[in-house]
Short mmCIF file of all heavy atoms in Angstrom, two decimals:
data_model
loop_
_atom_site.label_atom_id
_atom_site.label_comp_id
_atom_site.label_asym_id
_atom_site.label_seq_id
_atom_site.Cartn_x
_atom_site.Cartn_y
_atom_site.Cartn_z
N MET A 1 -12.72 20.67 -12.36
CA MET A 1 -13.95 21.08 -11.67
C MET A 1 -14.17 22.58 -11.80
O MET A 1 -15.30 23.02 -12.03
CB MET A 1 -13.92 20.65 -10.19
CG MET A 1 -14.09 19.15 -10.02
SD MET A 1 -14.26 18.64 -8.29
CE MET A 1 -12.62 18.94 -7.67
N GLU A 2 -13.10 23.35 -11.67
CA GLU A 2 -13.21 24.81 -11.81
C GLU A 2 -13.66 25.20 -13.21
O GLU A 2 -14.31 26.23 -13.38
CB GLU A 2 -11.88 25.47 -11.47
CG GLU A 2 -11.54 25.44 -9.98
CD GLU A 2 -10.15 25.91 -9.66
OE1 GLU A 2 -9.34 26.13 -10.60
OE2 GLU A 2 -9.85 26.04 -8.46
N ALA A 3 -13.30 24.39 -14.20
CA ALA A 3 -13.68 24.64 -15.60
C ALA A 3 -15.08 24.08 -15.91
O ALA A 3 -15.56 24.24 -17.02
CB ALA A 3 -12.65 24.05 -16.54
N GLY A 4 -15.69 23.43 -14.93
CA GLY A 4 -17.01 22.84 -15.15
C GLY A 4 -16.99 21.49 -15.84
O GLY A 4 -18.02 21.03 -16.33
N ASP A 5 -15.84 20.87 -15.88
CA ASP A 5 -15.70 19.56 -16.53
C ASP A 5 -15.77 18.44 -15.50
O ASP A 5 -15.62 18.65 -14.30
CB ASP A 5 -14.35 19.48 -17.26
CG ASP A 5 -14.25 20.44 -18.42
OD1 ASP A 5 -15.28 20.75 -19.04
OD2 ASP A 5 -13.11 20.91 -18.69
N ASP A 6 -15.98 17.24 -15.99
CA ASP A 6 -15.95 16.06 -15.12
C ASP A 6 -14.53 15.81 -14.65
O ASP A 6 -13.56 16.14 -15.35
CB ASP A 6 -16.44 14.81 -15.87
CG ASP A 6 -17.93 14.87 -16.18
OD1 ASP A 6 -18.66 15.57 -15.46
OD2 ASP A 6 -18.34 14.21 -17.14
N THR A 7 -14.40 15.19 -13.50
CA THR A 7 -13.08 14.84 -13.00
C THR A 7 -12.53 13.63 -13.77
O THR A 7 -13.28 12.88 -14.40
CB THR A 7 -13.13 14.52 -11.50
OG1 THR A 7 -14.05 13.46 -11.27
CG2 THR A 7 -13.53 15.73 -10.68
N VAL A 8 -11.24 13.47 -13.70
CA VAL A 8 -10.57 12.34 -14.33
C VAL A 8 -10.76 11.10 -13.45
O VAL A 8 -10.64 11.17 -12.23
CB VAL A 8 -9.05 12.62 -14.51
CG1 VAL A 8 -8.34 11.41 -15.08
CG2 VAL A 8 -8.85 13.84 -15.39
N ASP A 9 -11.05 9.98 -14.08
CA ASP A 9 -11.18 8.69 -13.39
C ASP A 9 -9.76 8.09 -13.30
O ASP A 9 -9.39 7.24 -14.08
CB ASP A 9 -12.14 7.80 -14.17
CG ASP A 9 -12.51 6.53 -13.44
OD1 ASP A 9 -12.19 6.41 -12.24
OD2 ASP A 9 -13.10 5.64 -14.09
N HIS A 10 -8.99 8.58 -12.32
CA HIS A 10 -7.59 8.20 -12.20
C HIS A 10 -7.40 6.74 -11.80
O HIS A 10 -8.26 6.14 -11.14
CB HIS A 10 -6.89 9.05 -11.13
CG HIS A 10 -6.72 10.47 -11.51
ND1 HIS A 10 -5.86 10.90 -12.48
CD2 HIS A 10 -7.29 11.60 -11.02
CE1 HIS A 10 -5.90 12.20 -12.59
NE2 HIS A 10 -6.75 12.67 -11.72
N LEU A 11 -6.28 6.20 -12.17
CA LEU A 11 -5.83 4.92 -11.65
C LEU A 11 -5.40 5.13 -10.20
O LEU A 11 -4.84 6.19 -9.88
CB LEU A 11 -4.65 4.37 -12.44
CG LEU A 11 -4.95 3.53 -13.68
CD1 LEU A 11 -5.60 4.33 -14.76
CD2 LEU A 11 -3.68 2.89 -14.16
N PRO A 12 -5.64 4.16 -9.33
CA PRO A 12 -5.11 4.30 -7.97
C PRO A 12 -3.59 4.43 -7.99
O PRO A 12 -2.90 3.80 -8.78
CB PRO A 12 -5.52 2.98 -7.29
CG PRO A 12 -6.66 2.47 -8.11
CD PRO A 12 -6.40 2.93 -9.50
N VAL A 13 -3.09 5.28 -7.13
CA VAL A 13 -1.65 5.54 -7.03
C VAL A 13 -1.03 4.64 -5.97
O VAL A 13 0.11 4.19 -6.13
CB VAL A 13 -1.40 7.03 -6.70
CG1 VAL A 13 0.07 7.30 -6.46
CG2 VAL A 13 -1.94 7.91 -7.80
N VAL A 14 -1.77 4.39 -4.90
CA VAL A 14 -1.23 3.63 -3.78
C VAL A 14 -2.31 2.76 -3.14
O VAL A 14 -3.48 3.14 -3.11
CB VAL A 14 -0.59 4.58 -2.73
CG1 VAL A 14 -1.61 5.49 -2.09
CG2 VAL A 14 0.19 3.83 -1.68
N LYS A 15 -1.90 1.59 -2.68
CA LYS A 15 -2.78 0.70 -1.90
C LYS A 15 -2.23 0.62 -0.50
O LYS A 15 -1.06 0.28 -0.29
CB LYS A 15 -2.82 -0.68 -2.52
CG LYS A 15 -3.65 -1.67 -1.72
CD LYS A 15 -3.58 -3.08 -2.29
CE LYS A 15 -4.33 -4.08 -1.44
NZ LYS A 15 -4.19 -5.45 -1.96
N LEU A 16 -3.08 0.95 0.47
CA LEU A 16 -2.74 0.84 1.88
C LEU A 16 -3.64 -0.20 2.52
O LEU A 16 -4.77 -0.41 2.08
CB LEU A 16 -2.94 2.19 2.58
CG LEU A 16 -2.21 3.39 1.97
CD1 LEU A 16 -2.60 4.66 2.72
CD2 LEU A 16 -0.72 3.18 1.99
N PHE A 17 -3.15 -0.84 3.57
CA PHE A 17 -3.96 -1.84 4.26
C PHE A 17 -3.58 -1.92 5.72
O PHE A 17 -2.45 -1.59 6.10
CB PHE A 17 -3.84 -3.21 3.58
CG PHE A 17 -2.46 -3.80 3.66
CD1 PHE A 17 -2.12 -4.72 4.65
CD2 PHE A 17 -1.47 -3.44 2.74
CE1 PHE A 17 -0.85 -5.25 4.72
CE2 PHE A 17 -0.20 -3.98 2.79
CZ PHE A 17 0.12 -4.88 3.80
N ALA A 18 -4.53 -2.32 6.53
CA ALA A 18 -4.29 -2.54 7.95
C ALA A 18 -4.20 -4.06 8.14
O ALA A 18 -5.20 -4.76 8.04
CB ALA A 18 -5.43 -1.97 8.78
N PRO A 19 -2.99 -4.58 8.37
CA PRO A 19 -2.79 -6.04 8.38
C PRO A 19 -3.58 -6.77 9.47
O PRO A 19 -3.86 -7.96 9.31
CB PRO A 19 -1.30 -6.19 8.58
CG PRO A 19 -0.81 -4.89 9.10
CD PRO A 19 -1.76 -3.85 8.63
N ASP A 20 -3.96 -6.08 10.52
CA ASP A 20 -4.71 -6.75 11.58
C ASP A 20 -6.10 -6.15 11.81
O ASP A 20 -6.69 -6.31 12.86
CB ASP A 20 -3.90 -6.74 12.89
CG ASP A 20 -3.56 -5.34 13.35
OD1 ASP A 20 -3.70 -4.39 12.57
OD2 ASP A 20 -3.14 -5.20 14.52
N ALA A 21 -6.62 -5.48 10.76
CA ALA A 21 -7.96 -4.90 10.89
C ALA A 21 -8.84 -5.14 9.67
O ALA A 21 -10.01 -4.80 9.69
CB ALA A 21 -7.83 -3.39 11.15
N GLY A 22 -8.29 -5.70 8.60
CA GLY A 22 -9.11 -6.00 7.41
C GLY A 22 -9.51 -4.79 6.59
O GLY A 22 -10.39 -4.87 5.76
N ALA A 23 -8.86 -3.65 6.81
CA ALA A 23 -9.20 -2.43 6.07
C ALA A 23 -8.20 -2.22 4.94
O ALA A 23 -7.03 -2.57 5.05
CB ALA A 23 -9.19 -1.23 7.01
N THR A 24 -8.71 -1.64 3.84
CA THR A 24 -7.88 -1.39 2.65
C THR A 24 -8.31 -0.05 2.04
O THR A 24 -9.50 0.28 2.04
CB THR A 24 -8.07 -2.50 1.60
OG1 THR A 24 -7.81 -3.75 2.21
CG2 THR A 24 -7.15 -2.31 0.42
N TRP A 25 -7.33 0.66 1.50
CA TRP A 25 -7.59 1.92 0.82
C TRP A 25 -6.82 1.93 -0.49
O TRP A 25 -5.64 1.62 -0.53
CB TRP A 25 -7.13 3.11 1.66
CG TRP A 25 -7.80 3.22 2.98
CD1 TRP A 25 -8.91 3.98 3.28
CD2 TRP A 25 -7.43 2.58 4.21
NE1 TRP A 25 -9.23 3.82 4.60
CE2 TRP A 25 -8.34 2.97 5.19
CE3 TRP A 25 -6.40 1.70 4.55
CZ2 TRP A 25 -8.26 2.53 6.50
CZ3 TRP A 25 -6.33 1.25 5.85
CH2 TRP A 25 -7.24 1.66 6.81
N LEU A 26 -7.49 2.32 -1.57
CA LEU A 26 -6.85 2.58 -2.86
C LEU A 26 -7.00 4.06 -3.10
O LEU A 26 -8.14 4.54 -3.31
CB LEU A 26 -7.51 1.78 -3.99
CG LEU A 26 -7.44 0.28 -3.95
CD1 LEU A 26 -8.19 -0.31 -5.15
CD2 LEU A 26 -6.00 -0.19 -3.96
N LEU A 27 -5.93 4.80 -3.07
CA LEU A 27 -6.02 6.26 -3.14
C LEU A 27 -5.56 6.76 -4.51
O LEU A 27 -4.58 6.29 -5.07
CB LEU A 27 -5.16 6.88 -2.04
CG LEU A 27 -5.50 6.44 -0.62
CD1 LEU A 27 -4.57 7.08 0.38
CD2 LEU A 27 -6.95 6.73 -0.28
N THR A 28 -6.31 7.75 -5.01
CA THR A 28 -6.04 8.31 -6.34
C THR A 28 -5.50 9.72 -6.31
O THR A 28 -4.76 10.11 -7.19
CB THR A 28 -7.30 8.31 -7.20
OG1 THR A 28 -8.31 9.10 -6.54
CG2 THR A 28 -7.82 6.91 -7.46
N ASP A 29 -5.91 10.52 -5.32
CA ASP A 29 -5.47 11.91 -5.33
C ASP A 29 -5.59 12.54 -3.95
O ASP A 29 -6.22 12.02 -3.06
CB ASP A 29 -6.24 12.73 -6.38
CG ASP A 29 -7.75 12.67 -6.23
OD1 ASP A 29 -8.29 13.52 -5.52
OD2 ASP A 29 -8.37 11.80 -6.86
N ILE A 30 -4.93 13.69 -3.83
CA ILE A 30 -4.97 14.52 -2.63
C ILE A 30 -5.45 15.90 -3.05
O ILE A 30 -4.98 16.46 -4.03
CB ILE A 30 -3.58 14.62 -1.95
CG1 ILE A 30 -3.21 13.27 -1.35
CG2 ILE A 30 -3.55 15.72 -0.91
CD1 ILE A 30 -1.82 13.24 -0.73
N ASP A 31 -6.39 16.42 -2.29
CA ASP A 31 -6.91 17.76 -2.52
C ASP A 31 -5.77 18.78 -2.30
O ASP A 31 -5.23 18.86 -1.19
CB ASP A 31 -8.06 18.03 -1.55
CG ASP A 31 -8.77 19.35 -1.80
OD1 ASP A 31 -8.11 20.32 -2.27
OD2 ASP A 31 -9.97 19.43 -1.52
#
């Protein structure tokens, strides 16, 4: 981004889920 380029379309690194709430997250990066 600092170089003015597009970001990388990363593969998800981790899948998180709330077993009793129906929520899911696929995370790719941390700022």
Side-chain angles (χ1 to χ4, degrees):
M1 287 187 290
E2 289 171 351
D5 295 329
D6 291 335
T7 57
V8 176
D9 189 11
H10 291 291
L11 273 66
V13 174
V14 64
K15 176 184 177 184
L16 305 176
F17 64 97
D20 58 347
T24 306
W25 299 265
L26 295 179
L27 303 178
T28 59
D29 55 90
I30 290 177
D31 186 329

